[in-house]
Amino acid sequence: AIIHETKTENVTSFAGVPSWMLVLLNRIMTETNKTSLFELWPNLEVYFHGGVNFEPYRDQYQKILPNSNFKYYEIYNASEGFFAIQDLNYSNDLLLMLDYGIFYEFIPMDTYGTSNQKIIRLADVELFKNYAIVITTNSGLWRYLIGDTVRFTSLKPYRIRVSGRTKHHINVFGEELMVENTDMAIAKTCTELNCEAKDYTVAPIFMKNKEKGAHEWMIEFKKKPENISIFEKLLDENLQSLNSDYEAKRYNSMTLNQLKINVGRENLFYDWLKEQDKLGGQHKIPRLSNQRDYLEQLKRMQEEIKN
């Protein structure tokens, strides 16, 4: 319906979650037999995105929007409130909006969910530490955990980057792995090996007997790497360079062995969302988990097709 309504219009901007917007844009290019969105909408200027990290999708967008003057702006909004905007052309940092009827507090992630958990004021936050956001709003929410984690990149003014979700991280072995780390690592690896990742999720391989732990990935590629073993090794190295805790656990494989990758079939994650009744822009793929439930469900669906 959206394609039918818009393909003859003078579309100049669009906004939405990158993963779902990409499904729509690829579909409209297929149906109109175009190789670039500018062939259909020559006056396109800007895409306002949010909801998930844009980096894993950037290369895919630049292929269907091959114009260096096209603008991308991130906004950080949710059902509970409008929190931050990208206010600078040259920076991906988000300006925290302090006059939108929201009172902010923060929980340092190194104490989150423990008996030592503490809530601090905005005035007490530190640069580059991960915090869970707690909000009180003039619409009636009281000390509400929205489920996101952020880190501050500036204190005057307050600028942030969304680093992940309180439920979506891995800290089984003390590696304190955040979605921001894995998003950046997979984007960097794909760029270096000229391939494209569509979706992914990660879970721990728990220590058993004398076996060491590891991280197991399920990745659905749009363009697969030529050698998955090389991709595996480079992804592991990039992850170490981005997260010193993960690097320490990987040193000489003392605690963690090299990560393991499963290559997902086409539309695996879409079919999983459909099975879970979670299709739509309000639902995101759980990137990281301290348990194996999501990964095992995906592996089961992968095997069912094979069989």
Side-chain angles (χ1 to χ4, degrees), residues 63 75 79 108 110 121 126 156 181 214 227 249 278 293:
K63 286 183 178 178
I75 55 176
S79 304
D110 54 7
R121 303 175 304 157
E126 299 175 29
K156 291 183 180 180
N181 304 142
N227 188 312
K249 300 300 180 292
K278 290 185 176 180
D293 304 33

Side-chain angles (χ1 to χ4, degrees), residues 261-276:
I261 291 177
N262 301 284
V263 177
R265 62 170 173 81
E266 186 177 358
N267 292 327
L268 174 64
F269 284 90
Y270 180 91
D271 292 342
W272 178 80
L273 286 170
K274 189 174 182 179
E275 184 183 80
Q276 303 297 314

Side-chain angles (χ1 to χ4, degrees), residues 201-239:
T201 194
V202 190
I205 299 175
F206 295 105
M207 294 178 176
K208 190 175 181 181
N209 300 324
K210 293 184 179 179
E211 283 293 314
K212 295 171 183 175
H215 290 172
E216 185 172 3
W217 293 57
M218 176 70 77
I219 307 176
E220 181 183 338
F221 290 96
K222 185 175 182 182
K223 179 183 178 184
K224 295 179 182 178
E226 292 184 4
N227 188 312
I228 196 64
S229 296
I230 293 175
F231 185 95
E232 218 168 41
K233 184 175 183 297
L234 185 58
L235 178 61
D236 191 79
E237 291 171 354
N238 284 332
L239 207 51

Side-chain angles (χ1 to χ4, degrees), residues 201 216 218 262-265 268-269 271-277 292-307:
T201 194
E216 185 172 3
M218 176 70 77
N262 301 284
V263 177
R265 62 170 173 81
L268 174 64
F269 284 90
D271 292 342
W272 178 80
L273 286 170
K274 189 174 182 179
E275 184 183 80
Q276 303 297 314
D277 195 26
R292 292 183 56 83
D293 304 33
Y294 303 132
L295 184 67
E296 292 298 342
Q297 291 167 7
L298 288 159
K299 291 176 75 173
R300 171 184 56 78
M301 294 182 73
Q302 178 99 329
E303 289 302 316
E304 284 174 355
I305 293 295
K306 287 182 181 178
N307 297 332

Side-chain angles (χ1 to χ4, degrees), residues 182-195:
T182 53
D183 277 350
M184 291 179 69
I186 200 167
K188 187 171 188 289
T189 307
C190 284
T191 299
E192 291 170 340
L193 295 181
N194 191 29
C195 54

Side-chain angles (χ1 to χ4, degrees), residues 92-105:
N92 293 326
D93 296 343
L94 303 177
L95 180 67
L96 191 65
M97 307 309 292
L98 303 179
D99 55 351
Y100 284 11
I102 301 170
F103 179 76
Y104 294 98
E105 295 175 289

